[in-house]
């Protein structure tokens, strides 16, 4: 099982980025997929998740600005990030929970992609 993130970069406040997470090695559509982030000196936090039925959940800090989606045909997870703020600056990771129902057992993780938002 391998997860590979891409799409990070540097943008100004108010800008947008789309992160991608390519998934290899398992039945992608049966898993719960999540995006997490970790800023320097802070704990890792959950950003968004999507379960095997397509039900999505978001952290309060990103609701209305971020959208998680997936393309099962491409085995790819996305995170569209709009109206970015400096506090969104972090390393972003995708992760997979084999339960399919997002119970928090994220057994597989990508290597991360850096997002930097300047004011």
């Amino acid at each position: 099982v391998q997860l590979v993130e891409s799409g990070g970069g540097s943008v100004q406040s108010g800008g947008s980025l789309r992160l991608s997470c390519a998934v290899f090695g398992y039945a992608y559509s049966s898993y719960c997929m999540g995006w997490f982030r970790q800023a320097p000196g802070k704990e890792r936090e959950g950003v968004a998740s999507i379960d095997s039925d397509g039900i999505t959940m978001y952290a309060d800090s990103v609701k209305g600005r971020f959208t998680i989606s997936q393309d099962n045909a491409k085995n790819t997870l996305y995170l569209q990030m709009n109206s970015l703020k400096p506090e969104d600056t972090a390393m972003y990771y995708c992760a997979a929970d084999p339960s399919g129902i997002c119970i928090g057992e994220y057994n597989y993780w990508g290597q991360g992609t850096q997002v930097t938002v300047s004011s």
Side-chain angles (χ1 to χ4, degrees):
V1 176
Q2 186 178 14
L3 286 71
V4 180
E5 301 99 334
S6 61
S10 297
V11 295
Q12 290 190 329
S13 182
S16 299
L17 283 173
R18 188 177 80 157
L19 305 184
S20 299
C21 173
V23 178
F24 305 93
Y26 63 86
Y28 171 80
S29 61
S30 68
Y31 280 53
C32 164
M33 299 297 297
W35 285 100
F36 295 78
R37 67 187 180 185
Q38 187 167 21
K42 295 187 177 181
E43 293 187 354
R44 185 176 64 199
E45 63 172 340
V47 175
S49 65
I50 182 166
D51 71 11
S52 57
D53 290 326
I55 297 172
T56 58
M57 295 185 67
Y58 297 91
D60 288 343
S61 59
V62 306
K63 280 180 181 177
R65 301 188 298 123
F66 291 11
T67 302
I68 188 172
S69 63
Q70 58 191 2
D71 185 333
N72 291 342
K74 295 182 178 180
N75 277 17
T76 302
L77 177 74
Y78 301 100
L79 184 68
Q80 178 67 43
M81 305 185 295
N82 298 328
S83 301
L84 282 162
K85 305 175 181 180
E87 51 264 44
D88 295 317
T89 295
M91 185 71 79
Y92 283 71
Y93 302 89
C94 66
D97 170 356
S99 75
I101 55 173
C102 300
I103 60 174
E105 294 184 354
Y106 289 96
N107 295 337
Y108 306 104
W109 292 82
Q111 82 288 350
T113 186
Q114 178 68 37
V115 172
T116 302
V117 184
S118 58
S119 58

